[in-house]
Amino acid sequence: MAEVTYERATCFYPGAEKPAVDGLDLAVKDGEFVVMVGPSGCGKTTALRMLAGLEEIDDGSILIDGNDMVGVPSRDRDIAMVFQNYALYPSKTVGENMGFALKMHGVDKEERARRVREAAKLLDLEDFLDRKPRNLSGGQRQRVAMGRAIVREPKVFCMDEPLSNLDAQLRVQTRTQIAELQRRLKITTVYVTHDQVEAMTMGDRVAVMRSGHLQQFASPTELYDHPANVFVAGFIGSPAMNRLDGTLTPDGISVGGVTVRPPDAIMHAAQGHSQLVVGIRPEHLSIGEGHLDVQVDLVEDLGSDFYVYGHRADDTGATVIVRAGREHPRPGEAIKIKIDTARLHLFDAVTGLRIGE
Amino acid sequence: MTALAPTVTSVRRARPRPDARRQGWVRRAPLLPALVFTIIVTQLPFLVTVYYSLESWSLVRPGSRHFVGLSNYLDVFKDSQFRQTAINTVVMTGGTVIIAMVIGVALALVLDRKFLGRGIVRTLLITPFLIMPVGAALLWKTTMLDSTFGIVNFVLRPFGIGQFDWLSRLPLESVMIEMIWQWTPFMMLLVLAGLQSQPKDILEAASTDGAKPLAIFRELTLPHLRRFIELGVVLGAIYVVNNFDAVYMMTQGGPGISSANLPYYIYQRAFLGFQVGQAAAMGVVVVVATIIVATFALRLIFKTFSGTEQAA
Amino acid sequence: MMASAESITAEHGLTTTAPGRPMVRRKRRGNSVTLGIVGWVVGILFFFPVLWMVLTSFKTEAQAYTNTPSVVFSPTLSQYKTVFSSGLWPYVANSAFATIVSTLLVLLLATPCAFALSLRPVKKTRDVLFFFISTKMLPVVAAIIPIYIAARNLHMLDNIFTMVILYTAINLPIAVWMMRSFFLEVPGELLEAAQMDGAPLRRTMTEVILPVVAPGIAATALICSIFSWNEFFFAVNITATKAATVPVFLVGFISSEGLYFAQLAAAATVATLPVVLAGWVAQRQLVRGLSFGAIK
């Protein structure tokens, strides 16, 4: 049973001016699966390593189960970590790898063997217990890394991009397995990835990070439907949300000559902000009589969906992405795009923060 | 969709590769100069040595040179001094290599961590390896171990040791100390390479798994270092077993033959005693013994080095 | 445009919590102090004999032969004067010649050999490598007799070229092994890329491979030079007056003068100095070479 709380946690890389993680406040509930996601260098891995005890907590604190981890070495934190490159012990067999932590904690041989066998059964590794890591495939090694963590029944799982070295198909497979496993074991998990699809599908809640700062911490649906700022809006969702420059006018919002009228509540909240960013997802645009003139550049065929990429015919030349069906325009065509004003998002262009709920 | 063309089963004729043989020679060509040179300069003399070993030949009495078959070898095996120097050689080599490796591992562990002035300390530590062996031997014989004026005795004076005559009372040990001093840097550097080639995330994983530093060293680092240690021991042994300079300079094998090793003893026979035939026979015996030991040793390093460890 | 919306908000480091509190840093466990002390103590201990040798070389004999070793004394260059006026230079010239020429020869022979054994593997690679290393295992003493006699019969005794040949022979196996390990570090993709770019073998070798292996070549050259300069056994037996090298000089300095500590310290310092300096300056190469390219 463990809650994990980051309180103003900060970490500086040696010799750096700006912190890698700056004043992070995050509260993970017991048994929750939290994903930290963001672009490279956003601090997500550092934040995870601070929790594991592999990076110093320079300011603030991190609490596990109410206990402050400042000054506590990794080995005393009861955390199991799955590394990006698996970090399996090369001179030991799979069984010895998985039993290592138990050995270090003085668990006797029989108990160790029993727990290793249990975990091996869960992960389909029973036939490999006597093999050395160098004789395993990538996917098998990944499972051993997971097994090593599971065997320990720790307070917290820390996972550092464990799927990034797998091929695409295996990644999708393993993703569901990990999520299932976590649901069954109910162990608090902090998971780091740069892949927002992984984040959205696996996490109970997702923490979006950028340049060391937390952008938003909410459920995947909340992030998708109500991004807290422009960055989150553009980061979550693939293809990315369209973001257009806009200005406030008495009649509505002008996006490069065309005026759109959002719902009254949003219009009301937008008063006082002169420079705006209007966000609209590709699936909330439609082709037909509408607001924008767009020249089609290319069409992505994903089998189930088609995404039309084009640029605005006016002098802004901004890229626009529309989701279309089988009957879609061809590259080079000029089309008109209609904005579903009920589904648009509004952000202040200066602060980037969301306007309205 | 075009219809699949019907498959034609064609008869595959094995095309003769006329240049296969030439290819082989092209590949081998760069090897040859080095190989040929080495064979001429090392193997021929050895064959000649074998020939000489079958003769009774003293350089002071050139006329008396004649074929005696294996009698030199009999003399060698009956020679108690040969046996003694063989034992000396084993003790000297084994002791030097093992102690140098143990100290080398310890020093490598120190140098693996950051501390102020680490680069300078490393420079200081590799210096003994660079010193000319005769120079180093001379150094130890005079300024270090001399019974009256040597610094070692000076340092030991408060412990009541004072005027100990190292070179007469502990000649073998004195030579060993000098060789350990010279060879520790080599061991240290090899082990340091091993330490630095260990992926850091494995050590982190062990840390999160609850292992204390000593356990990490014992369970993970030492197995990783094994092939480096083996290489160091084998390579070091090759050089140390052949050591001549230290014995020559420090003790001349004495007193008696208590610090003589096989190279020095053979040298004595050949160049001081001018007994070519006998010396040759001894040389051959040493060579055969070395080959036997070396075959086992080399199999070991090839096995550990060609099977590259892959960090999972 | 999306880009401008991005760039406007890029600098603000948006947070859901308010930034702007002072930057505090907790003290870290920095460089280990105890380990540093241990390191320095051991370093000085190991270096001490060398230090003592250099110190002694600046003393007079009287100062060197004191019951309590003197650390504070007024230095003199008289020992060095003696050393330099004892006909040192021909020995240095011989050593330099033998070292440089034999090292060049070794590189010339070992590089293509190592290349063949690594990048274009020949069938009997393991056997050839074994053979090379086995030549080092044969005690030199076994070979010295016929070599001496052969040299004598060919009137090549006391000839610097004999030394060159011998030094090449003793360093070649190690050079082949070291160079091979460096060649093995060349990524296969580099060769394939060169092949795709249409480069013939010789050009691939010079323009693609050699630059990558250059540090390795330097390391090998350094190791061979160290062994050649410091070599004594062959030198003392094969040379006499014309081709004598520095180690022989050093030993000769003793027998004719007796055991005078200060003088010998000066002679030893002079004799060992070039190699020590080379090793210090090219430390990285030395370390690389000695670790057989294991450290990147």
Side-chain angles (χ1 to χ4, degrees), chain A residues 24 73 88 158 173 178 204 237 261:
Chain A
L24 181 62
L88 300 184
C158 289
Q173 240 183 317
I178 293 180
D204 293 327
R261 179 85 203 178

Side-chain angles (χ1 to χ4, degrees), chain A residues 142-249:
Chain A
Q142 205 275 341
R143 302 210 301 272
V144 176
M146 297 285 311
R148 193 168 61 174
I150 291 171
V151 151
R152 293 184 47 193
E153 294 166 20
K155 289 213 180 91
V156 183
F157 280 143
C158 289
M159 302 197 191
D160 184 7
E161 306 203 44
L163 302 180
S164 58
N165 289 336
L166 299 176
D167 64 68
Q169 199 175 22
L170 204 51
R171 207 179 300 172
V172 174
Q173 240 183 317
T174 316
R175 201 169 76 199
T176 39
Q177 286 174 355
I178 293 180
E180 234 175 64
L181 209 57
Q182 195 272 346
R183 244 187 298 274
R184 188 154 20 148
L185 297 173
K186 298 199 193 40
I187 295 182
T188 314
T189 304
V190 181
Y191 184 107
V192 159
T193 180
H194 61 271
D195 183 341
Q196 51 111 13
V197 175
E198 258 174 52
M200 300 289 277
T201 54
M202 297 177 86
D204 293 327
R205 279 192 292 171
V206 177
V208 181
M209 297 203 45
R210 184 191 190 205
S211 305
H213 291 103
L214 179 67
Q215 303 295 303
Q216 188 175 359
F217 182 41
S219 69
T221 319
E222 180 72 9
L223 286 175
Y224 192 83
D225 291 339
H226 298 104
N229 60 39
V230 176
F231 174 75
V232 177
F235 187 82
I236 300 286
S238 179
M241 181 193 285
N242 294 293
R243 285 153 281 165
L244 309 165
D245 290 327
T247 44
L248 193 60
T249 69

Side-chain angles (χ1 to χ4, degrees), chain A residues 49 75 85 89 92 103 152, chain B residues 204 206-209 219 312:
Chain A
R49 287 168 64 88
R75 60 177 176 268
N85 291 311
Y89 307 127
K92 298 184 181 295
K103 187 171 166 191
R152 293 184 47 193
Chain B
E204 287 178 349
S207 215
T208 56
D209 271 350
E219 299 268 347

Side-chain angles (χ1 to χ4, degrees), chain C residues 96-114:
Chain C
F97 185 84
T99 301
I100 295 174
V101 176
S102 74
T103 301
L104 284 175
L105 205 52
V106 165
L107 289 180
L108 212 59
L109 292 173
T111 309
C113 185

